[in-house]
Amino acid sequence: MTAREAYEEALAGCDLHVREPEPFSDNELFWQARWFSGACGREFVCRDGRKVLVTDFGEWNREAGPDFVNTSVRIDGKHRQGAIEVDLDAAGWENHRHATNPDYENVVLHVAVRAPARAHFPRTASHREVPQICLSDCGGTGGESGAFVPAKPGRCAAPLRLLSQDSLADLLAVAARRRLERKGLALAAMIEARGTDAALYESFATALGYKNNKLPFQLLAQRVPPRIAATPRGEALLFGLAGFLEKPQPPSADARNVHAVLWKSWWRQRSSHAHLVLPRSAWRMNGLRPANHPLRRLGALVSVARCWKTVRGAIESGNLEQLEKVLGPLKHPFWSFHTTWNSPRRATILALVGPERIRDIYVNIALPLALSRGAEPQWLGLPASAGNTPARVAAARLFGGPPPRTLAGRLYVQQGLLQIYSDFCQRDHDECARCRFPGIVEKLSA
């Protein structure tokens, strides 16, 4: 039995329920962003059984009213064009009084995350019924969980120690490949839903948000596409929508002119965008290194937007060296030398997108995209990214500590551990009692 056959056999018998994604399951902005990205899918079934196909996700609404406008859907084959509203609960339509608000008259689809305890029939002010789908009914709420099971050795730790180095390496490579292929499928779904430019730019921006601020960066990329972000008006729009120009503070002398130019453009746009400004609570600033401050990351996003065609080409090349060649030299006249508005000017240039972030962008975007398109980049020899909590927890669960020294330091080992943890550990609510993975490992060592 090969490692791939063993892995697939273990998955085939895994019927345990995956934990719900955390920590944003009750965050409406998260679900709006997830919906708009195409990650929830395009084909659904209404609560009344009608089939729904979203043919155009439209645009974020910058005025009062529904979340997305200029959308197109097909309901049982009939084309409808109008707006889409996304709520956490099916009862949101009534609770938010959309039924009496004329701004919601042209809504063609109501999207609810959770199924209702009782039936709800959304209608407009003219008593027109609004078709409703629930993502929990359609499987659109799935995702890799952010929750962790205890970081203690699992039942698979013992048989894993008995595997030969080659067998263990093969098993981790199979799991890593599965992880990358799943990322590639998700990217392909986004590209089908939104187009290549929007999908890759949004994914790139999300990567700039790192683990603390993925959602705010995803929202900003969805609301300010690269063709706009590349302009002076777009740069002001990004910083304004981020909430970083809401209460202007007198910046340092170095930043005063830069800040003034942004503010001058932003206040002219603010009235039509005020309801889209992210609250301060959307940002997580604790524990960030100065170089990773969201202000600098936004500066990096602006620089990326200004040469987006070149960056996109590097991503689509599937070549890490090409990506490093394009992203490494990126500069911004202010943010290449500052970490915040009030930080002193550095004597030397600070990379807008550092080597570690370039590696993460390659692993999470460029490499999965290449594999999804049938290319086979040489990736098994790549060194691992910097250690993080999920990887350490996975290693503790599977090995009782760090991976064997013979395998440590490889990207595929890190990715494989994370995928095994996701496929099996996070599906198990029974302290390994029903997990099939240990048995499969024993077969490989026999």
Side-chain angles (χ1 to χ4, degrees):
M1 176 180 286
T2 67
R4 178 172 289 276
E5 290 170 342
Y7 204 94
E8 290 175 351
E9 180 181 326
L11 286 173
C14 187
D15 58 355
L16 303 179
H17 180 63
V18 182
R19 289 177 172 87
E20 287 297 309
E22 295 287 348
F24 300 112
S25 57
D26 284 324
N27 185 321
E28 193 162 283
L29 274 177
F30 168 76
W31 288 109
Q32 290 170 356
R34 184 175 173 82
W35 167 265
F36 190 57
S37 72
C40 294
R42 300 178 65 193
E43 297 183 35
F44 308 93
V45 178
C46 285
R47 299 287 290 172
D48 60 9
R50 287 178 291 174
K51 294 182 179 180
V52 176
L53 172 66
V54 181
T55 56
D56 190 339
F57 285 81
E59 307 164 7
W60 276 93
N61 181 18
R62 298 182 180 182
E63 307 292 340
D67 297 316
F68 305 103
V69 296
N70 299 325
T71 70
S72 295
V73 301
R74 289 188 178 277
I75 300 178
D76 272 354
K78 295 180 179 179
H79 177 261
R80 300 189 184 184
Q81 190 164 3
I84 292 177
E85 174 70 7
V86 178
D87 288 313
L88 286 176
D89 297 297
W93 186 272
E94 297 175 10
N95 295 340
H96 300 157
R97 300 181 180 178
H98 299 330
T100 58
N101 188 337
D103 289 339
Y104 290 78
E105 187 61 44
N106 72 334
V107 172
V108 294
L109 186 66
H110 181 226
V111 179
V113 176
R114 291 189 288 261
R118 61 182 181 83
H120 292 268
F121 303 97
R123 296 182 179 276
T124 65
S126 64
H127 301 291
R128 176 180 61 83
E129 182 182 357
V130 179
Q132 183 185 75
I133 63 172
C134 287
L135 297 181
S136 58
D137 290 343
C138 306
T141 58
E144 188 170 291
S145 172
F148 297 117
V149 295
K152 60 183 181 181
R155 194 159 56 86
C156 58
L160 280 170
R161 283 195 292 269
L162 299 177
L163 277 184
S164 68
Q165 178 179 329
D166 288 344
S167 294
L168 181 57
D170 287 345
L171 180 62
L172 290 170
V174 166
R177 177 75 181 224
R178 171 174 161 79
R179 184 174 182 82
L180 295 172
E181 288 175 346
R182 290 183 68 188
K183 290 178 182 288
L185 288 174
L187 269 175
M190 289 178 65
I191 289 171
E192 182 184 5
R194 305 269 317 289
T196 303
D197 263 341
L200 295 185
Y201 182 70
E202 181 182 323
S203 299
F204 192 102
T206 303
L208 286 181
Y210 197 35
K211 61 181 180 181
N212 287 331
N213 292 302
K214 288 183 177 182
L215 176 59
F217 271 87
Q218 181 181 19
L219 289 165
L220 291 172
Q222 289 177 341
R223 294 170 177 180
V224 188
R227 68 181 185 279
I228 297 177
T231 67
R233 171 182 171 273
E235 183 173 11
L237 191 58
L238 275 175
F239 280 87
L241 290 176
F244 296 147
L245 299 177
E246 278 301 279
K247 295 182 179 179
Q249 301 291 329
S252 64
D254 287 345
R256 196 163 293 141
N257 289 338
V258 177
H259 192 279
V261 170
L262 290 174
W263 173 251
K264 184 177 181 180
S265 177
W266 167 241
W267 76 262
R268 293 172 178 168
Q269 307 177 66
R270 189 185 182 283
S271 61
S272 59
H273 294 80
H275 69 293
L276 296 178
V277 175
L278 297 178
R280 182 65 65 171
S281 60
W283 296 99
R284 297 176 62 189
M285 305 293 191
N286 294 337
L288 290 178
R289 292 187 301 167
N292 292 338
H293 195 285
L295 285 167
R296 290 197 75 248
R297 296 295 193 197
L298 280 184
L301 188 59
V302 170
S303 298
V304 165
R306 288 173 179 168
C307 59
W308 174 243
K309 288 185 178 180
T310 303
V311 173
R312 172 181 160 173
I315 292 172
E316 292 188 296
S317 74
N319 186 300
L320 177 58
E321 291 183 0
Q322 179 66 15
L323 199 61
E324 291 172 333
K325 183 179 179 180
V326 170
L327 296 179
L330 281 181
K331 294 180 179 63
H332 187 281
F334 183 81
W335 296 112
S336 290
F337 298 92
H338 295 267
T339 56
T340 66
W341 290 123
N342 292 305
S343 66
R345 180 182 174 87
R346 294 172 59 94
T348 56
I349 289 179
L350 185 63
L352 287 177
V353 187
E356 275 297 322
R357 187 60 50 239
I358 295 174
R359 178 71 54 82
D360 286 343
I361 289 167
Y362 178 75
V363 171
N364 290 297
I365 305 174
L367 180 55
L369 181 67
L371 293 174
S372 73
R373 292 179 172 179
E376 289 292 337
Q378 298 299 312
W379 60 278
L380 287 173
L382 292 176
S385 303
N388 53 46
T389 298
R392 286 191 292 271
V393 171
R397 189 71 170 171
L398 273 64
F399 296 117
R405 290 185 178 181
T406 53
L407 296 176
R410 292 296 181 185
L411 171 71
Y412 79 87
V413 173
Q414 188 179 62
Q415 293 292 304
L417 285 174
L418 290 171
Q419 189 59 40
I420 292 171
Y421 187 87
S422 173
D423 279 336
F424 299 102
C425 302
Q426 287 183 307
R427 292 173 182 261
D428 183 35
H429 296 262
D430 227 355
E431 290 298 316
C432 296
R434 293 185 293 159
C435 183
R436 293 172 56 88
F437 186 66
I440 295 302
V441 175
E442 289 173 356
K443 286 185 179 181
L444 289 176
S445 61

